[in-house]
Structure formats: structure tokens, C-alpha cells
Amino acid sequence: MSTLIPPAANSDLGWQIEHTYAQLPATLFAASRPVPVRDPHVSILNHRLAERLGLNLAGATPETLATLFAGNQLPSNFQPIAQAYAGHQFGGFTMLGDGRAILLCEHRTPAGDLVDIQLKGAGRTKFSRGGDGRAALGPMLREYVISEAMVALGIPTTQSLAVVTTGEPVYRQLVRKGAILVRVAASHIRVGTFQYVAATRDQASLQLLADYAIQRHYPEIANTPDKYREFLRAVIDRQASLIAKWQAVGFIHGVMNTDNMAISGETIDYGPCAFMNSYDPGTVFSSIDHAGRYAYGNQPQIAIWNLARFAETLLPLFATDSDQAIAIATEILRESPAVFERHWLAAMRRKLGLQTQEADDLELLQSLLDWMQQTGADYTNTWRDLSMGVMPTGENYSEPAFAELYAQWQERLSRETEPRAAIYAAMQSVNPAYIPRNHRVEEALTAAEESDDLLPLQRLLEVLQHPFDEVAASAPYREPPPESECNYQTFCGT
Ligand code: AMP
Ligand code: MG
């Protein structure tokens, strides 16, 4: 977007700094400097991302990078801020804000995209409430590895540029090593950011925020006559597309609060997230999600619920008459289930190798999913096995019910125009062989946290970088967890 402050001159690393968010009304943020840490060290650097950002990390010493990414020493033209937001957390509304994150700056990439550069775990801010403003190494590496996996799977996500350790302990259930994650995002504007402004009943600020978000993420609608309605439609569409991609690979976000839903349509905030093993729509991993609110199968409905909260914040922009505004929002929201269904079916058809559409496709898909659920089949491996061009063999597959399903699907494929080889190649490009299996992630994080051994994590990252290209040496990474680890739980004490 156009800015009033010109980009800063190139510094050594190649920063192209802008501070557009800070031009919004001052209620939306607070100037906030990272609290320096005792002894910062780089744990992991994302060179691939740095290159895409046009940052020359190789030109700096590890010490310089550690000092920078810990927030101990920032370039003089950075104007760090903490952003205000609110959110429905497990359904209850709360005023929040960056309690431990600090937006260092926005950076213009060589491709012309504007991205946020944020430190997570950078110390207390005005919005910290009772928290310490810090983060532990394990959870920050976890965000790093899962977000990298998401990138490789082709799923919109915030990205991780680096993790640095702080040399300070953080006190959770256990004493853990402190760390800071450098997060790169299209922006950190959330549904909760709109809820925050709506709660202040400051309509001028609401409009400025909406215009800003439109400019930044949906510039194509900036000049449409009903741009706020189009904005709502566009955000619904992008969320529907995102959640369909999550469902397709069995990703469970785990804490889909409205403050964890980005207006850009990127996946944000990797807390208790995990990938499903055996197919079961009721799958929940988060230890605090007792009611299963954020279970795998609930994710589309929850997203739609969150989008209704988003629509409520926009009411004053739809019409001055509140009944009329509600009517407009209701009409748009009524379309969302169909939009979600359309994106989901499209994603699932691709998994099935279907390019054409037939009315019975949903039924075929549902029978396959039901079969997976009944037999406890591994979701990822079943799809991958189906993509290989021969009828899979092995325990579950020897059932007559599977043979029947397989025959039905083959019969359906015979009405596709593409030759089989092309169909299977397309399936192999959407049905991953490798996902970040929970037990593999745990194993890598434990080695990193407890023995300073980053090798298992590096190896895992290498495998996850190419989720669709199978190599014999990586076969162990396709294995579901042993039976004993099937009650896997993720914890929020990050
Ligand atoms: P999350 O569960 O990470 O989405 O965080 C929810 C809210 O709690 C956000 O406003 C965070 O900034 C805040 N928060 C989480 N952990 C901490 C912490 N250790 N110190 C301060 N605020 C935190
Ligand atoms: Mg959050």
C-alpha cells in the first residue's frame, strides 16, 4: 500500500522498512520495545525464507543475528509496536493484544509484498496482563517446523525466519529454556483486531482499519461500490479456502479463537496444533479443549462462527440503519456454508483424482471417509496409498468393504478424461507422503530442548520440505505413531 513514510535506505541485511500500521489510530497499538535478554544464540535460521525476503543473513555474524532477532539491538529506523486486539477464546470475549509479541517493522520483499516482521516471546508489553511476555524453546521450534511443513504443503501460513534462545529460563509447569521466534506474516490483523475496534465503538477507526486491511490484503476490491460487503465476502472466501486445505491434510489448529484468525487468510498461531493420524472427525489433541470445540471435524463450523463475529464488527460500515446493516450481514453470512462446502469438495475431489464433477462424488467420498473411520485407517497414508496406481494391500485393505469401495472409485475414474498415469501423478501432488507426525515432532523438540541436539529437527525439516516426493530413506517418517502414543496431547503452556 502507499505510505506516508518513505522506505528506509538499505541497511546491511537488506531491510526495506515501512511502518504503515503505525499510521492507523493510536488506540490500535502501543510503542513497545523488546526487553533485552541475557545471552541470545541463534537456534535455527530459515535461509530459504531470508532469500525470498531479500535479506542477506549470510552477510552477518551469528552474534549480530542473535542480538537482532532477540531484540537486544535494533536498527535505528525500526519503530517497534505491540498491537491491540480482542478475541473470543473458547467462545468467551476478552480484550487481549500482543502480550508477548512485538511488531518490529514491515518489510517490502523484492517481489513487492509487504510483510510484518514480528518477535514472539520478546518480553512484557502493555497488553501482557499476568503473563511474563516470554516463550519457551520447544513451542517456538514447534511453530517453526509446523509452519515450514505448511509452506511445503502449499497452505497459506505465517512463516518463521529464526528462533533464538535467550539464555534465560521461563517458568511454566517446568522450568524451560527461553526463546524468541521471528515470525513473518502478510500481516497480524485478526478478526480480533476488528472486534477490538468495534468494542471501542469508534466508527472512524473501524473504517480506517477496514480500509487499511482492504488495501493490504484485498486491493482488488478497494474501488468497488459496496467494498465493505465485498470485503466480508472476500474474507469468508479466503478462510473457506484455507480451512479446506487444513481439512484436506488433516491439520488440526487446536485453538481457533477469533484472535487466531488472520484477515489475510494465513494460518496463524501454532499452539496446540497437530496432524490427525487415524481418521476421526472428533480428533482433538489440545489438553485444554475438553469439550472438543476445536476438533478436526468442527473446524469449518468454528470458522463460520468466527466469521459471524467478524461480520458483526463491520455492521456500522454496511448501513447507518442497524436493521438494514444486520440484513446485509445475514444475507452474506447465509452464503458461507455453501462457500465452505464448495472449497472443501474441490479439495477432496483433487485428493480423489477427480477433475470433473458428478452429483454422487460426495457420497463416494463419504463412504471412503466412513470406511477409514470404521477401520481406524491412517488418514495421510490411505490417501497416499490410493495415489500409487495399484490397489493397495495390507491389513485394512484386505477387507471386502475396501475392495468394493476401490472398485466404485475406479469406475468413477473411468469417466475422467485424463489418462490414469496423469490422474495418479496429480493425486501424488496433493496427497502428501510426509506430514509432521506428532511423535516425530516431539522427538525432534525433545532432542533440541534437552540435549541441544538440533539434528533430528534438521532431518525432519528436510523431509517435510518435500512432502510429495517419496524417497526410500524417509520411509520411517511415514509411519503413524506406535499404539502407545496414540493418546497424544498438546499443551498450551507455550
Ligand atoms: P495465544 O494463546 O498464543 O494465541 O495467546 C493468547 C493471548 O495471550 C495473546 O494476547 C498473547 O499475547 C497472550 N499471551 C500468551 N502467552 C503469554 C505470555 N507468556 N505473556 C504474556 N502474554 C501472553
Ligand atoms: Mg494468538
Side-chain angles (χ1 to χ4, degrees):
M1 74 175 278
S2 64
T3 56
L4 303 177
I5 301 174
N10 233 342
S11 70
D12 283 343
L13 287 187
W15 293 115
Q16 293 292 335
I17 302 306
E18 302 189 21
H19 289 103
T20 64
Y21 199 82
Q23 292 168 51
L24 286 169
T27 47
L28 278 163
F29 59 90
S32 192
R33 296 201 72 83
V35 179
V37 302
R38 193 186 299 155
D39 185 22
H41 285 279
V42 170
S43 178
I44 191 161
L45 281 179
N46 192 338
H47 290 282
R48 191 192 317 258
L49 176 58
E51 197 169 312
R52 194 176 68 73
L53 295 175
L55 295 178
N56 173 28
L57 298 191
T61 64
E63 292 73 29
T64 306
L65 293 176
T67 319
L68 170 67
F69 292 144
N72 276 15
Q73 209 168 12
L74 298 178
S76 58
N77 52 356
F78 282 26
Q79 298 165 18
I81 57 171
Q83 291 174 312
Y85 54 87
H88 274 94
Q89 301 194 304
F90 290 90
F93 187 73
T94 322
M95 295 304 246
L96 298 161
D98 286 333
R100 57 168 171 174
I102 290 179
L103 176 62
L104 292 185
C105 65
E106 294 140 21
H107 167 76
R108 185 72 66 180
T109 71
D113 302 322
L114 191 66
V115 296
D116 278 6
I117 307 288
Q118 191 207 57
L119 301 185
K120 184 170 173 179
R124 286 179 53 78
T125 72
K126 166 180 170 183
F127 305 108
S128 294
R129 299 172 291 161
D132 61 2
R134 293 300 184 191
L137 177 60
M140 295 306 100
L141 289 175
R142 190 183 163 76
E143 172 152 350
Y144 187 104
V145 65
I146 308 281
S147 59
E148 277 294 281
M150 296 293 263
V151 171
L153 289 165
I155 302 178
T157 177
T158 65
Q159 296 193 49
S160 307
L161 182 60
V163 174
V164 295
T165 51
T166 60
E168 295 175 6
V170 293
Y171 301 94
R172 300 292 182 258
Q173 273 115 330
L174 300 167
V175 182
R176 304 183 74 172
K177 284 181 187 148
I180 293 171
L181 172 83
V182 186
R183 179 153 77 178
V184 178
S187 88
H188 287 84
I189 305 170
R190 308 141 190 270
V191 168
T193 316
F194 280 86
Q195 290 182 294
Y196 171 84
V197 185
T200 65
R201 302 193 173 275
D202 171 358
Q203 197 180 323
S205 295
L206 176 68
Q207 187 161 352
L208 287 167
L209 176 65
D211 288 343
Y212 177 87
I214 291 169
Q215 272 297 338
R216 192 155 170 189
H217 300 302
Y218 303 90
E220 64 282 2
I221 63 170
N223 297 315
T224 52
D226 293 318
K227 72 171 167 179
Y228 301 115
R229 300 178 204 191
E230 289 311 313
F231 180 38
L232 175 57
R233 284 202 180 89
V235 172
I236 290 172
D237 194 74
R238 237 180 248 184
Q239 283 299 328
S241 163
L242 177 68
I243 308 288
K245 292 187 167 98
W246 290 1
Q247 301 305 95
V249 298
F251 173 77
I252 304 170
H253 183 284
V255 58
M256 286 177 70
N257 296 333
T258 54
D259 50 302
N260 291 337
M261 184 180 263
I263 296 299
S264 66
E266 287 184 340
T267 311
I268 188 169
D269 251 344
Y270 294 89
C273 64
F275 280 72
M276 180 166 62
N277 294 300
S278 297
Y279 177 75
D280 181 352
T283 307
V284 176
F285 292 111
S286 170
S287 63
I288 59 166
D289 191 2
H290 305 294
R293 178 182 171 90
Y294 299 138
Y296 170 77
N298 287 354
Q299 295 190 128
Q301 284 109 287
I302 288 291
I304 290 171
W305 189 89
N306 289 350
L307 289 163
R309 304 290 78 74
F310 176 55
E312 285 164 4
T313 71
L314 298 179
L315 288 176
L317 303 182
F318 290 154
T320 38
D321 174 73
S322 68
D323 287 343
Q324 202 190 338
I326 290 170
I328 291 167
T330 306
E331 194 194 315
I332 298 172
L333 286 171
R334 203 176 286 140
E335 300 160 11
S336 3
V339 176
F340 272 68
E341 169 99 357
R342 182 165 51 76
H343 279 283
W344 177 75
L345 250 183
M348 299 311 278
R349 274 203 176 95
R350 281 193 290 276
K351 288 179 82 71
L352 276 168
L354 305 179
Q355 285 192 351
T356 62
Q357 302 181 10
E358 290 187 9
D360 292 343
D361 291 345
L362 179 57
E363 203 178 312
L364 174 65
L365 170 64
Q366 198 55 56
S367 313
L368 178 63
L369 294 173
D370 289 346
W371 175 82
M372 284 189 213
Q373 188 172 358
Q374 278 150 23
T375 57
D378 183 82
Y379 181 72
T380 304
N381 287 346
T382 303
W383 285 112
R384 185 71 185 183
D385 291 344
L386 289 173
S387 313
M388 304 317 289
V390 286
M391 184 164 157
T393 53
E395 271 191 273
N396 280 349
Y397 298 126
S398 59
E399 282 195 12
F402 178 76
E404 202 174 304
L405 265 175
Y406 193 83
Q408 274 174 28
W409 172 56
Q410 287 293 317
E411 201 244 333
R412 173 66 184 84
L413 285 188
S414 67
R415 293 193 295 280
E416 287 288 307
T417 44
E418 291 280 304
R420 286 300 157 93
I423 290 176
Y424 292 127
M427 285 179 69
Q428 285 167 37
S429 74
V430 293
N431 292 315
Y434 312 108
I435 52 162
R437 296 271 178 190
N438 307 322
H439 61 298
R440 289 285 175 192
V441 174
E442 265 347 287
E443 173 187 83
L445 299 187
T446 304
E449 270 202 293
E450 290 177 10
S451 324
D452 288 323
D453 178 7
L454 269 292
L455 273 177
L457 186 72
Q458 299 285 10
R459 175 79 186 101
L460 179 61
L461 281 165
E462 270 165 39
V463 172
L464 295 174
Q465 227 90 71
H466 307 284
F468 304 108
D469 306 333
E470 234 171 315
V471 286
S474 299
Y477 289 86
R478 286 196 61 189
E479 299 285 327
E483 201 71 43
S484 58
E485 285 175 44
C486 281
N487 292 323
Y488 180 71
Q489 277 208 321
T490 52
F491 296 92
C492 239
T494 59

